[in-house]
Amino acid sequence: MSITIYHNTACGTSRKTLEAIRASGVEPQIIDYVKQPPTRAELEQMIAQAGITVRQAMRNKGELYEQLGLADTSLPDAALLDAMMAHPILIERPFVVSDKGVRLCRPSELVQEIL
């Protein structure tokens, strides 16, 4: 099975998800999404395949979110995607892509659905 995790080592949920993947016997491809963000098309595809909204795929904690005024619910998806492309740290983590599907693994236990 092929698994890719869009990972942030500073995130406890991301680390727990990586541990669960490895415990299943698979060594995933690990992408530090802050240093190597997905393309806009890849991000849009992951969001769609995970069955979530663009807003759900955005990290809504932290100073940057507030500074950019991203809590404004009238902002269109395109504006949210623009912000995530300009500042990858705004992409919620961890996204996991496997042969069985895509999940935003918050909580980390959601990864079990695609292992």
Side-chain angles (χ1 to χ4, degrees), residues 16-112:
K16 284 181 185 177
T17 303
L18 178 58
E19 288 173 17
I21 294 168
R22 286 179 168 155
S24 77
V26 177
E27 182 58 34
Q29 176 185 9
I30 301 170
I31 297 175
D32 179 337
Y33 72 93
V34 176
K35 294 178 183 173
Q36 278 185 288
T39 66
R40 186 183 185 109
E42 289 169 336
L43 181 59
E44 288 177 311
Q45 184 176 18
M46 287 190 300
I47 291 167
Q49 290 178 334
I52 61 175
T53 66
V54 172
R55 186 160 293 281
Q56 289 171 317
M58 175 174 272
R59 183 166 172 74
N60 61 11
K61 296 178 185 173
E63 205 172 294
L64 183 59
Y65 181 83
E66 296 300 324
Q67 287 173 350
L68 296 176
L70 297 170
D72 179 353
T73 57
S74 70
L75 289 172
D77 287 351
L80 300 178
L81 287 164
D82 288 345
M84 287 188 274
M85 291 294 90
H87 307 281
I89 196 68
L90 290 170
I91 300 170
E92 189 62 274
R93 72 268 185 158
F95 267 97
V96 177
V97 179
S98 84
D99 298 338
K100 294 183 179 180
V102 177
R103 294 291 181 277
L104 175 57
C105 295
R106 298 193 76 78
S108 61
E109 292 80 13
L110 289 177
V111 76
Q112 298 300 325

